[in-house]
Amino acid sequence: MTNGRGSRGGWTAFGIVAILSVMEISLSFDNAVVNAGILKKMNAFWQKIFLTVGILIAVFGMRLVFPVVIVAISLGPIEAVDLALTDKDRYQELVTDAHPSIAAFGGMFLLMIFLDFVFEDRGIKWLAWLERPLAKLGRVDMLSVCIALVVLLVSATTFGAHAHQHGGAHADKAETVLLAGIAGLITYMIVGGLSGYFEDKLEEEEEREHEEEEEAARTGKPKSAVRLAGKAAFFMFLYLEVLDASFSFDGVIGAFAITNDIVLMALGLGIGAMYVRSLTVYLVRQGTLDDYVYLEHGAHYAIGALAVILLVTIQYEIHEIITGLVGVALIGWSFFSSVRRNRALAAAERESKENETEAVLTS
């Protein structure tokens, strides 16, 4: 692939932006499915916030500002911006050096999402032979946190041993990986915990609101307003933004394999991110997750695969095509499984109606 050192104008730049957009979409399709499962709980106002303010955070925050911030930690903000515009090779080197801590943070955040999903007992199961025993194991308190910490410890010590064998150039990275992974775990627990807390409060308020509506209908008294919906939606929105950031880590780092021009990178990844956001809202409004019930399962398995890939990339390089194909394959598999399920249910319903009709005619 081109390294993007040519001019930003012309067909070369257009091709680079197009490639980056396609890469971002392929890597983030599972993100759209998971986001849709959360976004459908939010009202139309917060869905608009997700598409407007959220897209600014996603495009300018993660795809443009975030790589500069990584470099600014060691050089300072002014020097980082100057380096990004004038010495792209050195800028790329510094961002790549920060990859272990980025991968540890994002990997742990995504791993917790996957573990909490598979350890929850759900009425609809996709891979029942696997999900039933996992749901039973999920009854053990804090099991997902314990497993995540064990995975992080293994990742950190493995990376540390690998660095020591290679002259100790990154000997301090083991500690960095451990701290970044713990930060990812804490971030998940805080943001996920707050969003879950306010979601529960919202459900309680909705039940009380329903009771007050019934009371108002009987007595004619006005009902009180619900005030906690905003807090619940805000923390779910915050959770979505952190989730999007974790998904975007591999795309931002992988974009350097295509170009080290920060402007082209932001354009390509930004276009892809905007498409994924629009796809998320489309899935919500079309009720796709309700029609294809295994899609959410497939997306979470893709999250688990991405978490493992991010942690493995602390030590080994894995091409972004593999990452994208794994996610697309799992979601495609879950989609066709949903189609087969819908067809089987429709056939069973037709057969039931035919049997009822035949019974009426013969009686």
Side-chain angles (χ1 to χ4, degrees), residues 8 16 40 43 66 69-70 87 100 111 116 119 144 167 178-179 220 240 253 263 266 289 320 322 327 361:
R8 286 177 188 163
I16 291 172
K40 69 181 181 181
N43 60 25
F66 174 70
V69 170
I70 294 174
D87 191 352
L111 182 62
D116 280 349
F119 284 145
S144 58
L178 191 60
L179 292 175
L240 281 172
I253 298 299
V263 175
L289 298 185
E320 290 72 33
I322 296 175
L361 293 175

Side-chain angles (χ1 to χ4, degrees), residues 11-24:
W11 289 106
T12 301
F14 177 80
I16 291 172
V17 171
I19 292 171
L20 287 170
S21 300
V22 172
M23 184 189 75
E24 176 71 13

Side-chain angles (χ1 to χ4, degrees), residues 237-257:
F237 171 76
L238 184 61
Y239 177 80
L240 281 172
E241 293 308 312
V242 179
L243 180 62
D244 176 77
S246 298
F247 270 101
S248 67
F249 288 146
D250 59 330
V252 171
I253 298 299
F256 282 107

Side-chain angles (χ1 to χ4, degrees), residues 245-274:
S246 298
F247 270 101
S248 67
F249 288 146
D250 59 330
V252 171
I253 298 299
F256 282 107
I258 300 169
T259 181
N260 53 15
D261 189 316
I262 188 172
V263 175
L264 295 181
M265 189 184 301
L267 279 173
L269 296 179
I271 291 171
M274 291 177 68

Side-chain angles (χ1 to χ4, degrees), residues 24-276:
E24 176 71 13
I25 292 169
S26 64
L27 289 174
S28 301
F29 187 81
D30 47 356
N31 189 10
V33 176
V34 174
N35 283 352
I38 302 169
L39 197 64
K40 69 181 181 181
K41 303 174 185 177
M42 301 164 72
N43 60 25
F45 169 78
W46 280 99
Q47 289 180 9
K48 289 180 181 177
I49 293 293
F50 177 75
L51 272 177
T52 53
V53 177
I55 201 66
L56 290 176
I57 297 173
V59 176
F60 295 102
M62 283 307 302
R63 276 75 179 181
L64 181 61
V65 177
F66 174 70
V68 177
V69 170
I70 294 174
V71 179
I73 292 174
S74 57
L75 294 181
I78 297 176
E79 292 84 350
V81 173
D82 180 67
L83 198 66
L85 297 174
T86 60
D87 191 352
K88 299 182 180 65
D89 291 336
R90 177 60 180 158
Y91 169 77
Q92 175 180 346
E93 181 183 340
L94 290 174
V95 174
T96 304
D97 285 343
H99 174 72
S101 57
I102 297 170
F105 182 95
M108 290 302 296
F109 189 89
L110 295 177
L111 182 62
M112 283 299 300
I113 294 173
F114 168 72
L115 291 175
D116 280 349
F117 181 85
V118 296
F119 284 145
E120 183 178 344
D121 191 8
R122 300 177 179 278
I124 296 177
K125 294 178 174 60
W126 178 32
L127 306 177
W129 57 272
L130 177 62
E131 293 173 8
R132 283 199 184 99
L134 288 176
K136 292 179 180 178
L137 286 174
R139 297 171 186 169
V140 179
D141 290 338
M142 303 298 288
L143 180 62
S144 58
V145 176
C146 293
I147 292 177
L149 286 174
V150 169
V151 171
L152 175 61
L153 187 60
V154 170
S155 301
T157 54
T158 300
F159 181 82
H162 177 77
H164 180 73
Q165 292 170 4
H166 287 74
H170 302 283
D172 61 333
K173 290 294 184 181
E175 181 180 350
T176 303
V177 167
L178 191 60
L179 292 175
I182 292 174
L185 178 62
I186 292 173
T187 301
Y188 171 82
M189 295 180 72
I190 291 175
V191 179
L194 286 173
S195 62
Y197 169 77
F198 283 106
E199 187 179 353
D200 291 340
K201 284 288 187 182
L202 177 60
E203 291 176 356
E204 292 175 5
E205 288 295 322
E206 286 175 342
E207 290 179 4
R208 190 166 65 188
E209 182 185 22
H210 180 68
E211 293 175 358
E212 289 180 356
E213 285 178 348
E214 293 180 345
E215 180 70 18
R218 289 195 303 267
T219 63
K221 295 180 180 180
K223 65 184 184 65
S224 60
V226 177
R227 299 183 183 274
L228 289 176
K231 291 182 181 179
F234 171 76
F235 280 104
M236 279 193 278
F237 171 76
L238 184 61
Y239 177 80
L240 281 172
E241 293 308 312
V242 179
L243 180 62
D244 176 77
S246 298
F247 270 101
S248 67
F249 288 146
D250 59 330
V252 171
I253 298 299
F256 282 107
I258 300 169
T259 181
N260 53 15
D261 189 316
I262 188 172
V263 175
L264 295 181
M265 189 184 301
L267 279 173
L269 296 179
I271 291 171
M274 291 177 68
Y275 177 85
V276 170

